[in-house]
């Protein structure tokens, strides 16, 4: 079923309480059948739900749009990073990236597939280097729209991703209720059954929400987008640092780690001349040791119109070596999607700029 105008603005089935699905009272098993079709077989139309009666299919189709996202562009191929630009029911654009596992050291390809999803349309946090916040924040994604990215990509790829990272557009911890509802469905074995250990939530540093998540039962992983090692530098590139300065943020992470005994990751985009000094590397090493964090260094992916540059390869390696010499676990992440604008928000930005030109 495509987006018929009658049901265009109606909410998605999965976002509605089951009572409103209006299932036949004497057929309680229908709910499970429908969930299986959507969450495990990734169907794109009610017609494919062949074990439902025709009147029930028609009734559902007349009231609930089934698909959360329609692909606008898909870049890349099966063996490479694939980048999806999705259009939501209200016309908003969001992005996801599907990343196959890198070659292992032995040269054999592991079968793992990682999906990077968006949590909001736009972003309110306005980190200076990021394309996602350039046009401001529009709205939170619903739980069904978060899951929809995983399901639509699974339908296109022929299988569901094994790992899920919230590193697309938006700040996931600013959309916590919908994020947690989506995770409920994604993780529960009766629904999608993804391993919670294979879910990573990335945040720009919302300290109160990090503390709240410390006591959440799901054992997901936390990635902290630090991108600077002192308030002085972080203030320049991440406005959120004014609200939750470094010490407040690191103290929240102390609580998270004490409660969960979980490894945390620092994400650190390297921006030439901004945050790549030996002094920043030394301070970063101190923070990483305090939290037993592993550091992922990310060479900056140039965003058209923004004044930041990727450091030279030598500078990147020097920074990494300084961390390693201090006894910190650190790797340089090679963005496989670099050549297809895989950093979050860039594809949408491009599309919006094109649309404005027309
Ligand atoms: N709002 C959350 C999650 C989405 S952004 C957060 O900030 O953590 C997640 C990641 O996107 C950032 O940590 C950074 O790793 C990456 N990112 C954003 N813009 C980028 C760019 N231009 N080049 C490389 N990585 C970028
Ligand atoms: Fe928002 Fe994350 Fe981009 Fe910052 S890096 S603007 S928090 S999406």
């Amino acid at each position: 079923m495509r987006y018929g105008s009658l049901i265009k603005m109606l909410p998605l089935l999965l976002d509605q309480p089951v009572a409103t699905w209006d299932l036949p009272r004497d057929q309680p098993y229908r709910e499970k059948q429908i969930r299986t079709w959507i969450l495990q077989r990734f169907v794109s139309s009610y017609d494919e739900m062949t074990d439902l009666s025709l009147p029930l299919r028609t009734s559902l189709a007349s009231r609930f749009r089934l698909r959360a996202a329609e692909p606008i562009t898909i870049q890349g191929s099966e063996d490479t990073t694939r980048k999806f630009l999705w259009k939501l029911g209200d016309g908003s654009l969001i992005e996801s990236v599907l990343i196959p596992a890198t070659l292992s050291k032995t040269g054999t390809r592991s079968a793992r597939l990682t999906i990077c999803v968006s949590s909001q349309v736009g972003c309110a946090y306005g980190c200076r280097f990021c394309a996602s916040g350039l046009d401001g924040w529009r709205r939170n994604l619903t739980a069904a729209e978060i899951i929809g990215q995983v399901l639509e990509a699974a339908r296109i790829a022929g299988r569901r991703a094994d790992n899920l990272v919230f590193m697309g557009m938006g700040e996931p911890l600013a959309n916590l209720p919908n994020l947690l509802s989506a995770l409920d469905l994604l993780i529960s074995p009766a629904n999608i059954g993804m391993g919670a250990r294979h879910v990573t939530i990335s945040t720009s540093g919302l300290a109160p929400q990090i503390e709240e998540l410390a006591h959440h039962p799901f054992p997901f992983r936390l990635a902290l987008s630090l991108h600077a090692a002192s308030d002085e530098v972080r203030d320049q590139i991440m406005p959120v640092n004014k609200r939750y300065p470094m010490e407040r943020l690191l103290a929240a992470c102390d609580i998270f780690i004490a409660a969960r005994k979980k490894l945390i990751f620092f994400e650190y985009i390297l921006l030439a001349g901004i945050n790549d000094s030996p002094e920043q590397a030394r301070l970063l090493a101190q923070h990483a040791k305090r939290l037993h964090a592993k550091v992922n260094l990310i060479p900056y992916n140039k965003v058209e119109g923004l004044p930041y540059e990727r450091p030279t390869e030598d500078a990147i390696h020097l920074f990494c070596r300084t961390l390693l010499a201090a006894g910190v676990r650190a790797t340089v992440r090679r963005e496989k999607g670099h050549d297809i604008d895989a950093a979050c928000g860039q594809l949408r930005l491009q599309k919006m700029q094109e649309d404005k030109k027309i």
Side-chain angles (χ1 to χ4, degrees):
M1 182 187 64
R2 303 292 291 176
Y3 297 93
S5 58
L6 181 68
I7 51 170
K8 192 168 170 195
M9 298 312 289
L10 286 178
L12 298 161
L13 181 72
L14 289 177
D15 273 330
Q16 300 307 303
V18 177
T20 66
W21 295 13
D22 208 12
L23 301 174
R25 286 215 183 124
D26 57 341
Q27 301 173 2
Y29 52 90
R30 293 294 184 206
E31 180 194 344
K32 186 162 186 290
Q33 285 176 325
I34 295 169
R35 285 192 189 279
T36 304
W37 283 116
I38 299 176
L39 299 172
Q40 289 175 10
R41 301 196 187 167
F42 323 123
V43 294
S44 59
S45 77
Y46 289 104
D47 289 339
E48 292 168 67
M49 302 184 183
T50 46
D51 54 5
L52 302 191
S53 68
L54 190 58
L56 179 55
R57 278 186 256 163
T58 312
S59 151
L60 290 170
S62 69
R63 290 175 302 127
F64 301 114
R65 194 157 47 83
L66 182 61
R67 295 173 63 192
E70 180 189 4
I72 296 290
T73 51
I74 305 174
Q75 295 181 354
S77 64
E78 208 171 310
D79 296 333
T80 61
T81 297
R82 258 190 290 188
K83 176 98 187 175
F84 304 93
L85 183 67
W86 311 112
K87 191 166 162 186
L88 306 178
D90 68 348
S92 296
L93 299 175
I94 56 162
E95 300 176 24
S96 319
V97 189
L98 202 54
I99 309 154
T102 44
L103 287 176
S104 73
K105 283 186 186 124
T106 55
T108 51
R109 187 178 284 277
S110 137
R112 299 202 84 76
L113 203 56
T114 297
I115 187 162
C116 167
V117 298
S118 297
S119 55
Q120 299 183 309
V121 181
C123 184
Y125 288 84
C127 303
R128 305 277 183 248
F129 48 80
C130 177
S132 293
L134 281 181
D135 211 41
W137 176 85
R138 198 153 150 197
R139 66 174 175 87
N140 284 333
L141 295 190
T142 66
E145 287 168 336
I146 294 173
I147 300 164
Q149 298 167 70
V150 178
L151 300 178
E152 285 287 317
R155 196 173 53 75
I156 293 165
R159 72 181 183 94
R160 167 174 73 63
D162 312 282
N163 301 315
L164 171 63
V165 297
F166 286 88
M167 290 188 184
M169 186 186 302
E171 170 50 56
L173 297 195
N175 185 14
L176 204 49
N178 293 349
L179 177 82
L180 292 177
S181 308
L183 284 178
D184 238 340
L185 277 173
L186 285 160
I187 290 168
S188 92
N191 289 297
I192 298 190
M194 191 169 237
R197 280 175 192 79
H198 299 290
V199 174
T200 303
I201 300 173
S202 178
T203 178
S204 59
L206 305 198
Q209 283 87 340
I210 291 174
E211 287 167 1
E212 195 181 327
L213 282 179
H215 303 290
H216 197 278
F218 293 144
F220 52 77
R221 293 158 174 262
L222 186 71
L224 179 62
S225 291
L226 210 53
H227 307 322
S230 63
D231 282 324
E232 193 198 354
V233 178
R234 204 164 191 261
D235 277 347
Q236 284 174 40
I237 53 175
M238 299 183 73
V240 68
N241 198 62
K242 293 260 192 252
R243 197 165 357 144
Y244 306 115
M246 299 259 332
E247 189 42 48
R248 168 79 180 90
L249 182 56
L250 296 174
C253 293
D254 286 333
I255 292 173
F256 184 89
I257 287 164
R260 303 178 69 105
K261 315 267 179 286
K262 277 254 151 258
L263 180 69
I264 123 169
F265 297 91
F266 285 168
E267 305 287 301
Y268 198 100
I269 298 179
L270 284 164
L271 304 163
I274 306 281
N275 64 359
D276 60 345
S277 68
E279 176 59 12
Q280 286 291 297
R282 276 192 293 274
L283 281 172
L284 180 60
Q286 283 174 19
H287 303 321
K289 282 172 133 169
R290 162 173 171 178
L291 297 172
H292 308 289
K294 180 181 176 239
V295 180
N296 287 324
L297 296 172
I298 307 157
Y300 184 56
N301 208 5
K302 179 90 183 134
V303 177
E304 196 56 33
L306 296 184
Y308 301 103
E309 299 291 340
R310 170 182 291 212
T312 61
E313 284 298 307
D314 282 353
I316 292 170
H317 286 115
L318 179 64
F319 196 93
C320 189
R321 279 203 306 276
T322 308
L323 296 175
L324 294 171
V328 170
R329 291 200 299 146
T331 47
V332 178
R333 189 197 293 159
R334 290 292 157 198
E335 285 289 343
K336 294 178 87 196
H338 181 50
D339 48 348
I340 55 163
D341 300 317
C344 63
Q346 294 193 40
L347 202 67
R348 171 178 178 259
L349 183 69
Q350 230 173 46
K351 171 87 173 111
M352 291 196 308
Q353 282 167 346
E354 278 164 23
D355 289 351
K356 273 180 201 154
K357 274 185 218 147
I358 295 166

